[in-house]
Amino acid sequence: MKKSAVTLLVVAVICIAFAAIFVKLSDASASIISMYRMLFASILLIPIVYRYRSEFTRLSSREWLSLIIAGLFLALHFGFWFESLKLTSVASSTVILALQPIVAMIAAYLIYKERVTRAVIISVFISFSGVLIISWGDFSFTDMSAFSGNILSFLSVVAVVCYFMIGQRSVRNLKHWVYSFIVFTFAGLFLLVFNLITQEELMSYPPREWLLFLMLAIFPTIAHVIFNALLDEVSPATISMSMLLEPVGASLLAYLLLSETLDGLQLTGGVIVLIGVYFFLAAQRKNSYI
């Protein structure tokens, strides 16, 4: 791999790792942060999407419905995850979020009866053992906040897997940017409706909060641009592997910027989860059946 590609991968991972920090720094509710994350990201994508505007007219009614439902699950994903970050540590929340490819495989097995190898089963067992260790470390009979945050992080994983399965399996031959723009917009609108129903404050936020909302949209969008640009010279498997660095980067940033620390069980569980996900991705890449 070229040094320039490695550098861009590192930049992308750092950009994504900052997302959790911005959520932690914000005093707004999780639903408000999620809403502006989606709506601002949609606005940022308009110049790119404009080039492919003809694709909107080629979508069937069924495809539009799939995109709307995908947007709903994306809204749930960010709502659950951002609320998780309000309750538990960055390390616990982002490590559990790394289970996404494994949960996607389990869903594919249950719904589409896709074949599962022994290596994959072992990696799943390893990863979920790590989650149990993290959750045990965060469990307390007197304060259930951190444990509840872990549950919400896992629910956010389930929601984002539903988002991918509904959207990407239903809508074919649609440019990635157009797909993202549509589902981001619908996700933002769903969150707007939720905030109106729950009577959340929509506009009266200080400049600091608006800056955080904007940064939360910009940094992950930069990462996605980099990942898409690198697909011509870096395999998708390599990009997937690099995503495992997100919990590491986010935890380090949380330590430096938020003074969050890791106890023994969190650290042990986190390492076990990442090892399990790494072996899972490696097994998927090799497509080896043991």
Side-chain angles (χ1 to χ4, degrees), residues 1 12 32 38 56 62 96 129 149 157 195 206 214 229 236 245 271-272:
M1 198 189 312
I32 287 292
M38 292 287 90
F56 288 88
R62 184 174 181 179
I96 293 173
S129 297
V157 175
N195 287 322
L214 185 59
L245 295 175
V271 170
I272 291 174

Side-chain angles (χ1 to χ4, degrees), residues 164-215:
F164 280 123
M165 295 187 74
I166 293 171
Q168 293 184 350
R169 286 185 177 270
S170 302
V171 183
R172 307 286 184 179
N173 302 318
L174 185 63
K175 292 290 184 183
H176 168 75
W177 300 115
V178 178
Y179 173 84
S180 296
F181 173 78
I182 294 173
V183 294
F184 284 6
T185 301
F186 280 121
L189 292 176
F190 276 121
L191 288 162
L192 173 60
V193 171
F194 176 83
N195 287 322
L196 288 172
I197 293 173
T198 57
Q199 298 183 334
E200 289 282 354
E201 176 57 52
L202 297 180
M203 300 299 296
S204 297
Y205 293 98
R208 174 181 176 275
E209 290 295 325
W210 288 108
L211 180 60
L212 288 171
F213 298 157
L214 185 59
M215 291 298 100

